[in-house]
């Protein structure tokens, strides 16, 4: 292995990070496709985003290149803004329709 990789990072193989992130992403995709509650779907999308962040951080650490970790920082900042807007929309939908079931939200169409 490359000597620029810190010893702490070398204790866990890169494949473990890939398997873990793949499992998280698969759980997120399953949640989006199966569930009908808007809040659960929203959380599953965030889970998929975090799986991608884990991979970016792991690859960045293994290459000893901070660019991936900087990119993750900006992704987290955008995700925080997205969460605030998304939860605001979900709260307003709940106030108007008294449900967060995405099947019943077809009334939002013209």
């Amino acid at each position: 292995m490359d000597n620029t990789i810190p010893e702490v990072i070398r204790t866990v193989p890169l494949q473990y990070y890939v398997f873990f992130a793949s499992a998280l992403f698969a759980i997120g995709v399953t949640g989006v496709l199966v569930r009908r509650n808007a809040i659960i779907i929203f959380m599953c999308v965030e889970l998929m985003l975090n799986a991608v962040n884990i991979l970016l951080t792991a690859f960045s650490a293994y290459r000893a290149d901070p660019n991936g970790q900087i990119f993750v920082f900006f992704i987290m900042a955008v995700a925080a803004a997205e969460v605030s807007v998304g939860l605001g929309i979900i709260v307003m939908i709940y106030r108007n329709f008294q449900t967060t079931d995405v099947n019943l939200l077809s009334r939002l169409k013209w």
Side-chain angles (χ1 to χ4, degrees):
M1 291 191 109
D2 192 7
N3 289 335
T4 60
I5 300 172
E7 185 65 34
V8 175
I9 300 297
R10 276 190 256 162
T11 58
V12 179
L14 184 61
Q15 293 85 4
Y16 290 2
Y17 290 108
V18 173
F19 292 143
F20 176 64
S22 299
L24 280 180
F25 195 84
I27 291 169
V29 168
T30 304
V32 167
L33 295 177
V34 172
R35 302 299 294 224
R36 293 292 137 221
N37 188 337
I39 297 173
I40 301 296
I41 292 172
F42 194 63
M43 287 177 18
C44 289
V45 168
E46 293 297 321
L47 188 66
M48 291 187 293
L49 184 65
N50 285 331
V52 172
N53 283 343
I54 288 171
L55 275 183
L56 277 172
T57 305
F59 284 129
S60 174
Y62 267 81
R63 292 190 55 166
D65 183 19
N67 290 334
Q69 295 174 5
I70 293 169
F71 194 61
V72 167
F73 176 74
F74 286 113
I75 290 173
M76 291 176 76
V78 170
E82 178 242 340
V83 164
S84 63
V85 171
L87 284 178
I89 291 170
I90 290 172
V91 166
M92 289 308 296
I93 288 172
Y94 181 77
R95 285 184 182 175
N96 289 331
F97 295 113
Q98 300 300 317
T99 185
T100 57
D101 187 5
V102 293
N103 289 332
L104 298 176
L105 296 179
S106 62
R107 291 186 256 170
L108 295 176
K109 295 179 184 176
W110 286 93

